[in-house]
Amino acid sequence: MAYNKERYRALKLTAYYLLLGIWYALSLLPLWVHYLLSDMLYLIVYKLVGYRKQVVRSNLATSFPEKTEEERLQIERDFYHFLGDYLAESVKLMSISKKNLKKRLIFKGQDVVNQCVNEGQSCAVYLGHYCNWEWITSLPLWVTSKAQCGQIYHPLENLVFDLIFLRLRQRQGAICIPMQDTLRKILEYNQQKQPVVIGYISDQKPYWTNIHHWVDFLHHDTPVLTGTERIARKMNHAVFYMDVRRIRRGYYEAEFKLITREPQKLKEFELTDIYYQHLEQSILRAPEYWLWSHNRWSRTREEFNRKFEIVNGKVIPKERSF
């Protein structure tokens, strides 16, 4: 048994270093080559394969009932074009220089973040799957060195790709914190009196047992994650929304928008509601840059009420409801 585990580990490490070498070699290509490959990928993924096209089309139809079919089809095409660019830019992130990255992604409003950190207050930053969220990991290049920057992530099931993306996302000095370890890790930094600036991509679909709140989002009754709010309130972190804009191909701006420095004074779920209001405004401004291929609305309140109940703040299955 021990021999098989060692062999498995050796195979995984071999696969990791092989993929890492290929990824790094590809990342050395100039961005214009990556965008040429992105255009080719668009033809394959959208025109030939039709990757998740029905999911995208359904999401757009229910999110923008006021738009014409042609308007929604244009958003659809633009989304698939951008999806290829996102993948190309993520590959490039493996070797892009700090100087080039700072030229291509400009942060704004970090003076307020620096003020919070200098005063000893940590910061929670709401993000969405909008524009290139991988490049946001360059945040340590912009904020005070007094802060430890990081992001919460969901470990990938494939160990090889998980290691690749950890290397990618931590390359500029940010740390990746597994979702299940979030509070423990932040408590450790708090005990060490180390201010942190942590990014939370909070527009993900929650598991059934993590549903505590619903919001009206893009014409949908939407179950949402509330962990970011709970941590911010418990730790009294300053809370920001990261408003990202794509200026043109390969160039972005990311602006910190302060929501509150006193999260404990807000009502329960008010922070979450404000986040989704901001995110919806970003999407309505340029909808093609959100991750429409995600089956975001597969969980309904009707099914939740039929199968689950909340007892003492915990979501538990109803007996014989499945």
Side-chain angles (χ1 to χ4, degrees):
M1 182 68 71
Y3 170 76
N4 288 336
K5 287 184 177 179
E6 287 299 319
R7 186 179 181 186
Y8 175 79
R9 173 179 168 79
L11 287 173
K12 287 293 183 181
L13 285 176
T14 300
Y16 164 69
Y17 285 113
L18 179 61
L19 180 58
L20 179 62
I22 294 172
W23 193 306
Y24 185 80
L26 288 173
S27 74
L28 295 175
L29 296 170
L31 259 174
W32 69 265
V33 176
H34 284 281
Y35 289 135
L36 181 62
L37 294 173
S38 171
D39 292 338
M40 296 171 61
L41 188 64
Y42 164 78
L43 296 175
I44 296 171
V45 172
Y46 180 57
K47 296 293 186 178
L48 296 180
V49 178
Y51 170 73
R52 294 199 171 188
K53 186 182 288 187
Q54 291 308 313
V55 172
V56 172
R57 194 160 291 179
S58 174
N59 284 341
L60 289 173
T62 52
S63 297
F64 300 108
E66 74 284 358
K67 293 186 180 295
T68 66
E69 183 177 355
E70 180 53 40
E71 287 174 327
R72 291 194 295 267
L73 283 173
Q74 186 59 55
I75 297 172
E76 179 183 300
R77 291 189 289 266
D78 291 342
F79 162 72
Y80 279 98
H81 270 296
F82 174 71
L83 186 61
D85 285 0
Y86 160 78
L87 294 173
E89 291 166 359
S90 297
V91 170
K92 186 64 180 177
L93 187 58
M94 185 65 77
S95 66
I96 191 171
S97 69
K98 289 180 171 59
K99 180 180 179 180
N100 195 11
L101 190 53
K102 287 191 71 173
K103 182 178 71 173
R104 291 180 174 276
L105 173 56
I106 296 174
F107 284 88
K108 294 184 174 182
Q110 63 270 26
D111 54 327
V112 183
V113 174
N114 291 338
Q115 179 185 345
C116 294
V117 171
N118 289 331
E119 294 175 2
Q121 186 177 27
S122 292
C123 302
V125 184
Y126 274 111
L127 300 160
H129 286 94
Y130 188 77
C131 287
N132 192 326
W133 56 92
E134 302 294 350
W135 281 16
I136 299 295
T137 58
S138 64
L139 180 59
L141 304 179
W142 292 84
V143 302
T144 173
S145 59
K146 294 180 181 179
Q148 173 61 66
C149 296
Q151 56 273 331
I152 309 306
Y153 86 108
H154 194 288
L156 301 177
E157 292 183 8
N158 186 297
L159 177 61
V160 173
F161 278 97
D162 189 52
L163 291 173
I164 288 288
F165 274 93
L166 279 175
R167 187 183 184 98
L168 191 73
R169 291 166 177 169
Q170 295 183 142
R171 183 170 173 262
Q172 305 301 333
I175 59 167
C176 287
I177 303 174
M179 188 177 294
Q180 67 272 17
D181 297 335
T182 304
L183 182 57
R184 179 185 63 80
K185 193 67 177 176
I186 290 177
L187 282 170
E188 286 180 6
Y189 281 118
N190 185 64
Q191 291 168 357
Q192 298 165 8
K193 299 190 183 302
Q194 169 63 65
V196 295
V197 179
I198 303 295
Y200 299 81
I201 297 182
S202 300
D203 58 348
Q204 302 175 64
K205 178 173 64 178
Y207 294 117
W208 286 111
T209 52
N210 284 336
I211 297 176
H212 297 274
H213 186 54
W214 301 71
V215 301
D216 181 12
F217 176 58
L218 294 172
H219 298 291
H220 296 86
D221 191 22
T222 306
V224 296
L225 292 171
T226 55
T228 305
E229 172 175 329
R230 291 199 302 273
I231 291 172
R233 287 164 64 92
K234 181 179 180 64
M235 305 306 299
N236 196 36
H237 286 180
V239 183
F240 294 81
Y241 172 70
M242 183 69 77
D243 188 16
V244 188
R245 297 171 184 259
R246 196 187 199 204
I247 306 305
R248 62 183 188 277
R249 204 175 202 184
Y251 291 87
Y252 301 87
E253 287 183 355
E255 182 179 2
F256 289 96
K257 290 190 172 181
L258 179 64
I259 297 176
T260 181
R261 291 193 61 177
E262 299 177 299
Q264 296 168 345
K265 290 188 175 181
L266 274 63
K267 297 178 182 177
E268 186 179 22
F269 304 131
E270 188 174 355
L271 271 175
T272 303
D273 291 342
I274 293 171
Y275 160 62
Y276 270 93
Q277 291 166 11
H278 279 297
L279 180 61
E280 182 170 276
Q281 290 172 6
S282 296
I283 294 170
L284 293 177
R285 184 178 64 224
E288 63 270 25
Y289 301 137
W290 196 53
L291 191 62
W292 294 103
S293 54
H294 178 45
N295 194 5
R296 182 65 180 81
W297 293 288
S298 61
R299 309 199 201 286
T300 66
R301 194 192 294 251
E302 179 184 11
E303 185 177 3
F304 177 82
N305 290 337
R306 188 173 70 249
K307 294 182 176 180
F308 298 90
E309 59 183 341
I310 299 178
V311 179
N312 296 324
K314 293 185 177 181
V315 179
I316 61 173
K318 292 180 178 178
E319 292 185 5
R320 296 183 296 277
S321 62
F322 290 88

